[in-house]
Amino acid sequence: MKKVAVIGCGGAGKSTFSRILSEELNIPVYHLDRLNWKPGWVSTPKDEWDDVIDNLVSKEHWIIDGNYSRTLDIRLKNADTIIFLNMPMYLCIYRIVKRRFMYHGKSRPDMDEGCKEKLDMNFVKWVWGYNKNQKPRILDKLKKLSKEKNVIIFNNTSEVDKFIYDLKKHKYK
């Protein structure tokens, strides 16, 4: 694992998982939310964003966590390992609500300063509809890529915990 794309619904645990993976593999992690959102929740312009993604995937080692469907194919193409956190919708909803209260009035560790945690209805609707709207396309992409890439799909937190436990025991290094 040298170039790892971590994807999944909002609240699936991408950033936390990616931080742990980064520590265990000694590979830098790049949180796309942190790179995309400027203070005050201002999004990076598309042409600048494309340059950011191209720069990241050209690096020798990386863990990139995030969705951003417009640039997903670039990341998947350049990754040697793709990890899909396919968590249940109710867990993702619980986690996005929980982090809203945990980080009330401040920015999460995987966000740029000046992006105070918020929870708006558009995001809640996106998370609520993820399994119906985004997940089928993702699974289709992963099925095609599994012939040439290491594709790992976690369907619950127990699978994630086991992977991390095994990783710490050096089974995946």
Side-chain angles (χ1 to χ4, degrees):
M1 283 192 270
K2 294 180 180 183
K3 296 183 177 190
V4 183
V6 179
I7 57 176
C9 186
K14 296 180 300 295
S15 296
T16 301
F17 177 81
S18 296
R19 273 194 304 273
I20 293 168
L21 195 62
S22 172
E23 290 167 12
E24 292 303 316
L25 298 177
N26 198 28
I27 296 174
V29 63
Y30 302 96
H31 303 287
L32 293 183
D33 280 343
R34 182 180 193 85
L35 297 170
N36 178 59
W37 295 107
K38 306 299 179 208
W41 292 97
V42 175
S43 184
T44 301
K46 286 182 180 179
D47 57 342
E48 188 180 324
W49 184 243
D50 292 344
D51 291 341
V52 167
I53 297 300
D54 289 342
N55 181 47
L56 289 178
V57 299
S58 70
K59 294 179 183 295
E60 189 175 342
H61 298 90
W62 48 259
I63 298 167
I64 301 175
D65 93 62
N67 292 302
Y68 296 86
S69 59
R70 193 175 68 75
T71 59
L72 180 62
D73 287 340
I74 295 166
R75 287 175 276 128
L76 297 183
K77 176 185 171 194
N78 286 278
D80 60 43
T81 303
I82 303 162
I83 298 175
F84 178 39
L85 299 179
N86 183 30
M87 297 296 124
M89 182 267 301
Y90 67 85
L91 178 63
C92 295
I93 292 287
Y94 167 77
R95 285 177 172 172
I96 64 170
V97 171
K98 177 183 170 187
R99 74 183 181 201
R100 169 62 178 91
F101 291 103
M102 266 180 69
Y103 295 102
H104 178 72
K106 51 189 170 183
S107 300
R108 294 190 325 252
D110 56 315
M111 295 297 294
D112 197 3
E113 286 299 318
C115 291
K116 292 180 180 175
E117 186 60 23
K118 63 179 186 170
L119 186 63
D120 62 42
M121 280 311 294
N122 285 336
F123 184 59
V124 173
K125 288 178 186 176
W126 183 83
V127 170
W128 187 267
Y130 184 89
N131 285 348
K132 179 181 176 191
N133 301 320
Q134 279 80 7
K135 181 174 148 180
R137 285 192 305 265
I138 300 240
L139 288 174
D140 186 52
K141 285 179 192 279
L142 297 182
K143 184 177 180 183
K144 291 173 185 169
L145 289 168
S146 67
K147 294 174 179 70
E148 60 190 80
K149 310 255 181 205
N150 182 21
V151 174
I152 303 168
I153 300 174
F154 296 122
N155 296 301
N156 56 58
T157 56
S158 295
E159 292 175 0
V160 172
D161 292 344
K162 182 182 181 323
F163 179 86
I164 291 169
Y165 175 81
D166 289 346
L167 183 67
K168 289 181 178 195
K169 295 291 186 185
H170 306 295
K171 288 187 178 180
Y172 291 101
K173 288 189 179 181

